[in-house]
Every structure is written in C-alpha cells, then in structure tokens.
Amino acid sequence: MQVQFGSCRIELAQGDITAEEVDAIVNAANSALAGGGGVDGAIHRAGGPQIMEETDRDYPDGCSVGNAVATGAGKLSATYVFHAVGPIWSGGDSGEPDLLTSAYRSCLELATERECRSIAFPAISTGVYGYPMDLAAEHSLATVRDFLIDRQKPALVRFVLFGAGAYGAYARVLESMTS
Ligand code: APR
C-alpha cells in the first residue's frame, strides 16, 4: 500500500528490513546501543561488525530515549543506519507517545541532513518494548505524514512490517489518512 503526500510517499511493506534498498535503514536500538534481538540483531548480523565498531567509537555514551544517531551500514545495501531508541511501553502515561514521535522525527531530521531520498522504518518499540501495535501505527504514521507535509522530504518513507498483523494495523491507519 502507498499514499502520496505532495511530492513524497509513504509505503507499507511486509518483510525483513535488512533487505531494503534505501538510503537509510532505521534500527530499533536500546539506549546503550549494545545490540540485541529483533531488528537490532538482524541489522548487526546482516551488516557485519563494522556497524557496532562505529557506534562504540562515535557514541560511547549511547543514545537517549526518543533520539537517534547515524552510522554507516556495513555490508547492507543502504548508505546509513539510523539507530533510534523508542520508549518501553509502561501503560501510556509515562510520555511514551511523545518519545516515540521524537524517535521518528529524529530519524527524519537525520535523513534530511544527509540528503537521503529514501528511508525504511521498522515498527519501533512494538517488539520487546511492548508498545501496542495499533497505537504505534497511529503515532508513527501521523508523525511521518506531518513531517512530509511540512518539509516535503524525504521522497520515500517505507514502513517494513514483520507479519500480517503489523501490516494490517498500519494499513488501517494509513487508509484512514486518505479519507
Ligand atoms: N525486519 C522488520 N521488522 C522486524 C524484524 C526485521 N528483521 N525483526 C523484528 N521486527 C519487528 C518486530 O516484530 C516488532 O514489530 O520490529 C518491531 C520492533 O521490535 P524489536 O526489534 O523488538 O524492537 P523494540 O520493540 O523497539 O525493542 C528494542 O529490543 O532488540 C532489542 O536492542 C534492542 O533493546 C532493544 C529492544
């Protein structure tokens, strides 16, 4: 599914984000940038040790929740990996929506600073961090849509969802944005 916002497009895809041929791939990282399972494990496995060497060298203090930092992409076909740290869900009254929005916005700012035309996001925080998928879809898609309308870049934002449930949740929200 895809929806155009001015000269920019949001696309939804199902699959493994490490296979994406885009300028920047977003990692769902932790604040120590220590690696992990899920997207994080898949990116470091496919991209090779160079990515962790860069985070250790350039960001020894890690990255705070709601922010993102950039490295090269090692053996991945992308140019950059943006390591975004989403919030851990703890009921929704601890600022989780603002922190999730901020993590997405940080990646979009990094993409525009680096003149990326395309970026692929996973559903940040919806795995180990427990953010409910329907809410994550609403909050992340609204953030990206508002950024694209405001800034008219990057040209392509693709959400790469793992499984039919995640894709369905995102498709329902994106569909509602067209009416
Ligand atoms: N491609 C796309 N999506 C994936 C992939 C993949 N290869 N692997 C997992 N996912 C999906 C999950 O199904 C989930 O919907 O990405 C979403 C985010 O899940 P996590 O990777 O668990 O990320 P998050 O919830 O943000 O938790 C971050 O997990 O791996 C650790 O180091 C990481 O501590 C950090 C925490």
Side-chain angles (χ1 to χ4, degrees):
M1 176 177 187
Q2 57 183 56
V3 174
Q4 200 76 23
F5 294 97
S7 59
C8 304
R9 189 163 80 239
I10 295 179
E11 280 183 7
L12 305 184
Q14 230 187 105
D16 176 6
I17 197 165
T18 63
E20 286 296 309
E21 297 192 355
V22 287
D23 294 335
I25 288 178
V26 175
N27 184 16
N30 53 66
S31 53
L33 302 178
V39 178
D40 206 353
I43 285 178
H44 285 292
R45 259 193 316 277
Q50 189 188 324
I51 299 176
M52 190 67 84
E53 285 162 18
E54 281 188 53
T55 54
D56 288 348
R57 184 191 67 214
D58 296 342
Y59 309 104
D61 298 329
C63 174
S64 57
V65 180
N67 280 308
V69 295
T71 64
K75 292 188 285 183
L76 300 175
S77 83
T79 306
Y80 301 106
V81 173
F82 299 154
H83 304 265
V85 184
I88 298 172
W89 181 261
S90 57
D93 293 329
S94 304
E96 295 95 328
D98 286 347
L99 290 166
L100 188 69
T101 294
S102 169
Y104 277 94
R105 283 193 71 87
S106 296
C107 293
L108 293 166
E109 293 287 359
L110 288 173
T112 51
E113 281 163 20
R114 285 164 177 70
E115 301 190 342
C116 296
R117 289 185 49 74
S118 55
I119 180 170
F121 282 104
I124 297 170
S125 285
T126 63
V128 172
Y129 281 1
Y131 208 106
M133 189 62 76
D134 290 349
L135 291 178
E138 273 176 40
H139 299 158
S140 58
L141 282 166
T143 303
V144 170
R145 175 203 56 197
D146 291 350
F147 191 95
L148 296 183
I149 290 170
D150 184 35
R151 305 278 283 277
Q152 288 299 304
K153 55 175 94 159
L156 172 64
V157 177
R158 183 177 292 141
F159 284 85
V160 182
L161 291 327
F162 220 46
Y167 184 91
Y170 271 72
R172 277 190 295 281
V173 174
L174 189 57
E175 177 74 42
S176 75
M177 290 179 171
T178 62
S179 53

